[in-house]
Amino acid sequence: MGLDGYQSIGSESAPLTLQIKGRGNYTWTGFDKKPYRIKLDASAALLGMKSSKHFVLLAHADDNMAFLRNTVGFELSRLLGLPYTPSQRPVEVILNGDYIGLYLLTENIRVDSSRVNIAKQADSATDSEAITGGWLVEIDNYDDPSQIKITEGNGSVIRFTYQAPEVLSTEQTNYLTQQVTLMNNAIYSTNKNSTTWEDYIDMNTLAKFYIVQEVMDNAESFHGSCYMYKNKGVSKWMFGPVWDFGNAYHRGTDKFIYTDPPFGQTWIGEIAKYPRFQDAVTDLWKVFKGNQYPTLDSFIDNFISQIAIAAQYDAQRWPKYGNADVTSCKNNFVNYMNQKVSWLVKQWGEGVAGLDNPNTDDYLRIINNGNGNII
C-alpha cells in the first residue's frame, strides 16, 4: 500500500494464496461484521508475527470499548508471564473489493513450537506413554462432537472440547476422562488444606491466568474459551493461553468473577477456597500491581493512537457497533479497569514496587513473626 516500513507479501499479479472460512459461535451468528479463520498455503511472518500458516481475523464487533478488551487481556497475560500469549496486529480488511473495517489479525491457539509448545500427540494413539500428552483442551460452553462431559462437584455439566489430538482412540478418551475426573474430585475435596488438586494442576500458572480474568472482570472466563494443556510425560495441566474477553466489564466491578456469575465459572470458585491458592494469588498480585500494572496506561494510549483513524472508518462501515468516539470508549474502558483494580487492592493488598518480575515461578515469602524478625 506504499507505507514506509512495510513490504507486501502478496500482490494482484502474485497473490499469497490462502483458504478462508467463517469462525466463532455467537460472534459469527450474532453480528453482520464477521470473524474469519485463514490458512495460508505457505507459512509467512505476517506483520512481524512468528511464521505460520494459521491466523484468524477477529472482528470484535461486540467490543464497544475501543477494541481494548482482548488487547488489554492479552497484554495482562504477557505482563504476568503466562508461557504463551497470542500475538495480534490491528489491520483494515478489504474482502472481495468490499471494505469491512478494522480487524485484529491474531495467532490462533494451536500446538506449535512457537505457540502452545508441547509434544504433538498423534490422533488415535493407544500407547500408554504417548497418550499422556500433549493435550490441548478447551472448557467449552457449546456442545461439540469432539467433546467429553463430566458433572462438576456442584452439579453443573463441564464440556471439554479436545483441540489436540483431534480424533481420539478409546485409550485416549479414557485417559482424558480419567484426568478431568481426578481433577474435579480433588478440587471438590472437603479438606481445603489438601494439596491433592495441585498434583494435577499447575497452581502458579493458574494463579496468573486467574488474575488476568479478575482484572478484566471476565464473567465468562472459566466457562468458555478456557484453555488447558498438558505435555507428554508430565503430571500437571497448565491453564492458558488466554483468549476471549468479549464479556469483560459487562457488570459491576465489586465482586469476584465466581460470585453470581452470569454463565457459571467452572472450578475457580471452589479452588478459591484453598488458602495456598490465595497465597499464590496475593504474592503474584503484589508484584504485578507494583511493577507491571503501571505500564498499562502508556500501552493503551499507544494502541489507541495506532488504531484511531481506522476506528473512525470502521465506525462508518459499522455504525451500530459503538466505537465512533474511540477516545470516549477508551476512557470508559479505563474507568472500568481502574474500578476493578481498586476493588482488588482492597481484597489482596496494594502492590509493592521493586520486587521480582512475576514471570518467574520462584517466590520468596517474607513473614514478620511479630517479634521484629524476618523469616
Side-chain angles (χ1 to χ4, degrees), residues 80 204 207 211 276-289 291 348 350-352 355-356 358 363-366:
L80 277 153
N204 185 263
I211 290 172
R276 279 176 51 81
F277 178 69
Q278 289 294 346
D279 287 345
V281 168
T282 54
D283 285 352
L284 283 163
W285 169 258
K286 289 174 182 177
V287 176
F288 163 73
K289 178 62 172 63
N291 298 274
W348 295 336
E350 187 54 86
V352 180
L355 296 181
D356 290 338
Y363 294 93
L364 174 65
R365 177 174 285 277
I366 301 173

Side-chain angles (χ1 to χ4, degrees), residues 302-342:
N302 289 337
F303 176 76
I304 295 302
S305 295
Q306 189 178 12
I307 69 164
I309 295 174
Q312 292 178 17
Y313 284 107
D314 183 89
Q316 292 176 23
R317 180 66 176 81
W318 309 105
K320 64 182 179 180
Y321 293 146
N323 280 298
D325 185 346
V326 72
T327 299
S328 176
C329 293
K330 179 207 78 168
N331 292 339
N332 190 31
F333 175 91
V334 170
N335 287 338
Y336 268 101
M337 184 176 68
N338 288 342
Q339 288 171 20
K340 184 59 188 281
V341 168
S342 295

Side-chain angles (χ1 to χ4, degrees), residues 111 116-122 125-136 164-165 172 175 179 228-238:
V111 174
V116 179
N117 187 16
I118 57 176
K120 290 187 177 180
Q121 182 179 175
T126 59
D127 179 76
S128 60
E129 174 65 17
I131 65 175
T132 65
W135 287 99
L136 176 61
Q172 287 170 316
Y175 180 83
Q179 285 285 295
M228 306 165 59
Y229 60 93
K230 179 180 178 294
N231 211 346
K232 180 180 178 180
V234 301
S235 61
K236 294 187 180 184
W237 289 77
M238 312 280 279

Side-chain angles (χ1 to χ4, degrees), residues 36-220:
Y36 299 96
R37 180 174 179 174
I38 60 176
K39 181 181 180 182
L40 307 175
D41 285 1
S43 294
L46 300 184
L47 292 175
M49 293 186 281
K50 296 288 181 66
S51 184
S52 179
K53 295 181 180 180
H54 303 276
F55 297 90
V56 292
L57 285 164
L58 297 181
H60 293 307
D62 56 345
D63 188 353
N64 61 353
M65 289 187 172
F67 301 94
L68 283 169
R69 285 187 170 98
N70 261 40
T71 299
V72 173
F74 284 8
E75 180 65 7
L76 286 167
S77 173
R78 279 185 281 270
L79 292 175
L80 277 153
L82 280 161
Y84 166 67
T85 303
S87 293
Q88 63 170 26
R89 300 288 188 273
V91 295
E92 291 180 279
V93 178
I94 297 170
L95 179 63
N96 296 331
D98 179 25
Y99 175 80
I100 59 172
L102 175 61
Y103 279 69
L104 274 297
L105 179 69
T106 307
E107 295 176 344
N108 59 329
I109 295 174
R110 58 186 289 109
V111 174
D112 186 274
S113 59
S114 64
R115 296 188 185 178
V116 179
N117 187 16
I118 57 176
K120 290 187 177 180
Q121 182 179 175
D123 289 345
S124 304
T126 59
D127 179 76
S128 60
E129 174 65 17
I131 65 175
T132 65
W135 287 99
L136 176 61
V137 172
E138 176 191 356
I139 298 175
D140 208 340
N141 50 3
Y142 289 91
D143 285 321
D144 190 281
S146 302
Q147 201 169 69
I148 66 168
K149 301 176 184 178
I150 67 168
T151 301
E152 190 176 351
N154 63 8
S156 301
V157 174
I158 316 177
R159 301 173 180 87
F160 297 93
T161 301
Y162 41 90
Q163 307 284 352
E166 296 181 356
V167 180
L168 303 191
S169 64
T170 300
E171 289 81 359
Q172 287 170 316
T173 300
N174 291 341
Y175 180 83
L176 181 58
T177 303
Q178 180 189 51
Q179 285 285 295
V180 297
T181 300
L182 288 170
M183 281 188 275
N184 183 66
N185 292 343
I187 288 167
Y188 276 90
S189 169
T190 57
N191 177 13
K192 294 310 177 191
N193 290 313
S194 169
T195 60
T196 302
W197 73 275
E198 297 174 41
D199 294 339
Y200 304 107
I201 296 173
D202 182 81
M203 183 167 63
N204 185 263
T205 305
L206 172 58
K208 293 176 181 180
F209 183 87
Y210 168 64
I211 290 172
V212 173
Q213 310 304 332
E214 281 291 6
V215 172
M216 296 299 296
D217 197 57
N218 187 5
E220 200 178 13

